[in-house]
Amino acid sequence: MRTYRELFRTPEFLPFFTTVSVQVAAQTATGLALGTLVYASTGSPLLSALAMFGPSLAQVAGALTLLSAADRLPPRATLTGLALLFALGTGVQAVPGLPLWAAFAVLLGLGVASSLGGGVRYGLLNEILPQRGFLLGRSVLNMSVGTMQIVGFAVGGVLVTALSARGTLLVGAALYVVAAALARFGLTARPPRSTGRASVGETWRTNALLWSSAPRRSVYLALWVPNGLVVGCESLYIAYAPGHAGLLFACGALGMLTGDALVGRFVPGRWRARLGSPLRLLLAAPYLVFALNPGLPVAVVAVVLASVGFSASLLLQERLMALTSQELSGHALGLSSSGMLAMQGVGAAVAGSVAQLTSPATGMAAVAALSLAVTVALAPGLRVGRGREAAGRLHEEGSPRSTESKETTTS
């Protein structure tokens, strides 16, 4: 599968794509609104960064407790329920006079739930599409994320001005309800991919299995750490340029969209392994220019270039699927998503702390330098061919409790 026409002719992909797109639009607009609300009331770059990206830290708790359910729950019902949960939580955050601690408590609760949603969502994508279509489908979803972020940040900025931050949160809650309706009426009712009871113990056992080989560990770390640190740079946009943060976020989304389109659709397979390292370096290198406290035009160019590097994640996710059996695909992708988002929360906390002690520009440059150092350190473990033995071992082992798991077919 190499064309967008083939992709969108695949049954269920269009409603799946639309559901994800609406949820991203809701998340983007509400994140900007909440970050603006917190910064206006506290004046703190750290709290503003955590308001936008701090829920990602809670993904750690979800990854350690809930992920075994990602392959053991019916996908349609789970995605519908989670969208309604986010609508409720976002509505609560819009309540006037809500204490700051309560707003953050809601954020953390939604972050825990997100870890399950990522596993269910991308495990379902792996069922909807044939194996050769996963990279193209994932790239199109990433492109949708980029587009919806451009629209979400642009429209969100207008809504914050026209309706206030709390009014924008209510609009986001309504969008989550729309996403729930799209999931419920657009997707087919499918059985879980695996049988057996979900539990904390099962989550830990499967996490240990997925973590058990060096090639998979290298892929996971490369997906999580450099990406998360660069998102720490993004979390300081509001503090760096309060009047133009929406523009910087939109330009970052544009760069991500461009990179995903090029890698997902036009880069042939023989070039993908060669492009992995340069793209991972591109992800952080442009942010070093912020050490010079550049003006808005230079900052925009740096943000667009760096965001093209996010497409390296596509290549790493494709490699992860090559190392993972079908029955564990949801759990493996959920662990990838949760770890990535958790590290984004860590990156926001680190960048915000440095900015609190120095300046937003210094925080962005320092975290970018750290991201580059981690990328270089992980490079030896990502050399082509390192994962073949691990792939065979995982396919032989299957689930850590094979009597309770089986691969299910799509309906």
Side-chain angles (χ1 to χ4, degrees), residues 389-402:
E389 180 182 350
R393 183 163 61 254
L394 181 57
H395 281 282
E396 290 174 2
E397 292 170 345
S399 167
R401 299 177 73 178
S402 58

Side-chain angles (χ1 to χ4, degrees), residues 31-366:
L32 179 61
L34 193 61
T36 301
L37 189 65
V38 170
Y39 189 69
S41 62
T42 66
S44 170
L46 174 59
L47 291 178
S48 175
L50 290 177
M52 292 192 70
F53 298 99
S56 302
L57 289 170
Q59 294 270 343
V60 174
L64 295 176
T65 58
L66 300 179
L67 272 184
S68 63
D71 294 304
R72 293 174 170 81
L73 291 174
R76 185 179 72 174
T78 305
L79 293 177
T80 302
L82 287 172
L84 291 174
L85 176 64
F86 271 80
L88 176 62
T90 304
V92 170
Q93 290 169 335
V95 174
L98 184 71
L100 189 63
W101 66 265
F104 275 97
V106 173
L107 280 176
L108 293 177
L110 295 179
V112 173
S114 292
S115 64
L116 175 61
V120 174
R121 183 180 304 115
Y122 297 117
L124 177 59
L125 176 65
N126 202 42
E127 285 190 86
I128 291 173
L129 298 178
Q131 183 177 2
R132 292 184 179 180
F134 180 81
L135 179 66
L136 183 62
R138 192 68 176 87
S139 72
V140 167
L141 286 182
N142 285 359
M143 290 163 61
S144 169
V145 169
T147 302
M148 289 299 104
Q149 285 181 345
I150 292 172
V151 173
F153 283 125
V155 175
V158 172
L159 290 175
V160 167
T161 302
L163 300 178
S164 78
R166 287 191 171 86
T168 305
L169 288 172
L170 292 176
V171 172
L175 287 175
Y176 279 122
V177 173
V178 172
L182 288 169
R184 173 62 181 82
F185 298 107
L187 298 176
T188 300
R190 295 167 179 264
R193 283 177 293 276
S194 297
T195 59
R197 185 174 61 88
S199 66
V200 174
E202 188 69 17
T203 298
W204 278 73
R205 281 187 287 271
T206 307
N207 285 347
L209 175 63
L210 293 169
W211 192 252
S212 62
S213 75
R216 283 194 298 276
R217 286 197 300 272
S218 295
V219 171
Y220 274 126
L221 289 172
L223 279 166
W224 295 344
V225 184
N227 178 302
L229 291 170
V230 167
V231 170
C233 298
E234 296 182 347
S235 72
L236 295 176
Y237 289 169
I238 293 175
Y240 183 80
H244 302 285
L247 174 62
L248 291 176
F249 279 117
C251 289
L254 176 62
M256 185 175 69
L257 187 155
T258 301
D260 286 335
L262 291 174
V263 171
R265 176 64 179 86
F266 299 107
V267 175
R270 64 181 182 275
W271 283 99
R272 288 174 189 164
R274 299 179 184 179
L275 284 177
S277 293
L279 287 172
R280 290 192 294 273
L281 293 172
L282 180 64
L283 180 62
Y287 279 104
L288 297 178
V289 75
F290 281 89
L292 304 176
N293 201 22
L296 186 62
V298 175
V300 164
V301 172
V303 167
V304 171
L305 288 176
S307 298
V308 172
F310 280 115
S311 59
S313 296
L314 284 176
L315 305 179
L316 291 168
Q317 288 165 352
E318 182 183 41
R319 188 169 182 181
L320 179 63
M321 285 296 92
L323 299 174
T324 307
S325 62
Q326 173 72 17
E327 66 181 15
L328 297 181
S329 61
H331 193 124
L333 290 167
L335 183 61
S336 169
S337 175
S338 296
M340 186 183 300
L341 290 170
M343 280 306 306
Q344 289 176 2
V346 171
V350 171
S353 298
V354 176
Q356 194 85 18
L357 297 173
T358 56
S359 69
T362 301
M364 294 166 81

